[in-house]
């Protein structure tokens, strides 16, 4: 709701919050319907060429989240609703595609008997650092830096939130900051990929522990 009202309507891309919500929701629905299965297909194709599934899943996660962050960032600076929706659609498509590789990364990163608990913990963390606090944080930032960019009941903005105004610039900065938040995902995926590679190297370097069936006579 904060993204629709404070960001989309506040940036002047729409004058009607209902139309903004419909356009935004429809774009996400299409990108989600296409991106999620495409992510699974990409993961299947990539893992067929790799011996270690965990590293392969993390590599696909890094690629999809990185592409999504790159493609969605121009939305913060869009002056036209068509460019905004195009950036949102193209950006969220690879982000939805990251669903399958992220789940496989969890499956392969924990012991088999703890996979259900691993998914539960990952889901909890995604909510705790994602959709639960984000409306509150965005609302606080908007109230602090762009209070006049909040539309009223008739979707009208304050006079201090006009084209080229300082508050509208702040609103674009908030939106850009939200895009940069994806870098935290890339960082942790990168660390996980590095640790997975190190673990494989350690396992390969371990000496065999097989006891000879026959011992040589002294």
């Amino acid at each position: 709701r904060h993204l629709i009202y404070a960001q989309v309507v506040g940036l002047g891309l729409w004058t009607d919050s209902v139309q903004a919500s419909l356009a935004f929701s429809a774009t996400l629905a299409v990108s989600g319907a296409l991106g999620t299965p495409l992510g699974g297909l990409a993961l299947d194709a990539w893992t067929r060429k790799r011996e270690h599934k965990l590293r392969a899943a993390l590599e696909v996660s890094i690629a999809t989240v990185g592409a999504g962050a790159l493609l969605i960032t121009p939305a913060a600076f869009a002056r036209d609703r068509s460019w905004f929706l195009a950036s949102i659609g193209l950006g969220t498509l690879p982000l939805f595609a990251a669903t399958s590789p992220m789940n496989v990364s969890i499956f392969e990163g924990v012991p088999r008997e703890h996979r259900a608990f691993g998914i539960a913990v990952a889901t909890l963390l995604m909510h705790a650092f994602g959709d639960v606090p984000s409306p509150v944080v965005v609302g606080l930032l908007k109230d602090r830096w762009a209070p006049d960019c909040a539309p009223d009941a008739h979707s009208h903005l304050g006079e201090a939130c006009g084209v080229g105004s300082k508050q509208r610039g702040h609103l674009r900065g908030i939106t850009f900051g939200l895009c940069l938040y994806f870098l935290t995902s890339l960082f942790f995926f990168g660390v996980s990929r590095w640790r997975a590679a190190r673990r494989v190297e350690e396992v390969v370097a371990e000496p065999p522990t097989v006891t000879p069936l026959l011992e040589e006579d002294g």
Side-chain angles (χ1 to χ4, degrees), residues 99-172:
T99 303
S100 296
M102 284 193 298
N103 288 334
V104 172
S105 298
I106 300 169
F107 288 153
E108 296 295 329
V110 300
R112 183 180 296 272
E113 62 272 18
H114 297 315
R115 285 180 173 177
F117 183 68
I119 286 290
V121 172
T123 303
L124 175 64
L125 292 175
M126 283 188 284
H127 287 305
F129 293 96
D131 58 311
V132 172
S134 60
V136 178
V137 173
V138 172
L140 291 174
L141 292 174
K142 183 265 300 176
D143 290 342
R144 174 65 178 84
W145 297 104
D148 289 312
C149 291
D152 58 19
H154 302 285
S155 299
H156 295 154
L157 302 175
E159 295 181 359
C161 191
V163 177
S165 65
K166 188 175 182 180
Q167 288 196 27
R168 185 165 292 188
H170 290 163
L171 199 58
R172 294 190 184 280

Side-chain angles (χ1 to χ4, degrees), residues 36-201:
T36 304
L38 288 177
L41 293 174
L43 179 62
D44 289 340
W46 189 250
T47 52
R48 280 197 294 266
K49 303 177 182 179
R50 298 292 185 275
E51 181 180 355
H52 303 285
K53 292 183 179 180
L54 176 57
R55 287 196 299 176
L58 288 170
E59 289 166 356
V60 177
S61 298
I62 292 172
T64 51
V65 174
L70 184 65
L71 292 171
I72 204 172
T73 299
F77 307 99
R79 261 66 175 182
D80 178 81
R81 66 179 64 177
S82 298
W83 285 105
F84 177 84
L85 291 177
S87 179
I88 292 295
L90 293 176
T92 54
L93 192 146
L95 293 176
F96 279 115
T99 303
S100 296
M102 284 193 298
N103 288 334
V104 172
S105 298
I106 300 169
F107 288 153
E108 296 295 329
V110 300
R112 183 180 296 272
E113 62 272 18
H114 297 315
R115 285 180 173 177
F117 183 68
I119 286 290
V121 172
T123 303
L124 175 64
L125 292 175
M126 283 188 284
H127 287 305
F129 293 96
D131 58 311
V132 172
S134 60
V136 178
V137 173
V138 172
L140 291 174
L141 292 174
K142 183 265 300 176
D143 290 342
R144 174 65 178 84
W145 297 104
D148 289 312
C149 291
D152 58 19
H154 302 285
S155 299
H156 295 154
L157 302 175
E159 295 181 359
C161 191
V163 177
S165 65
K166 188 175 182 180
Q167 288 196 27
R168 185 165 292 188
H170 290 163
L171 199 58
R172 294 190 184 280
I174 295 172
T175 310
F176 179 63
L178 296 175
C179 297
L180 292 180
Y181 191 60
F182 287 112
L183 296 179
T184 59
S185 297
L186 290 177
F187 172 77
F188 286 111
F189 279 135
V191 171
S192 299
R193 169 63 175 80
W194 174 77
R195 288 179 60 86
R198 286 290 302 273
R199 178 56 183 161
V200 170
E201 294 174 357

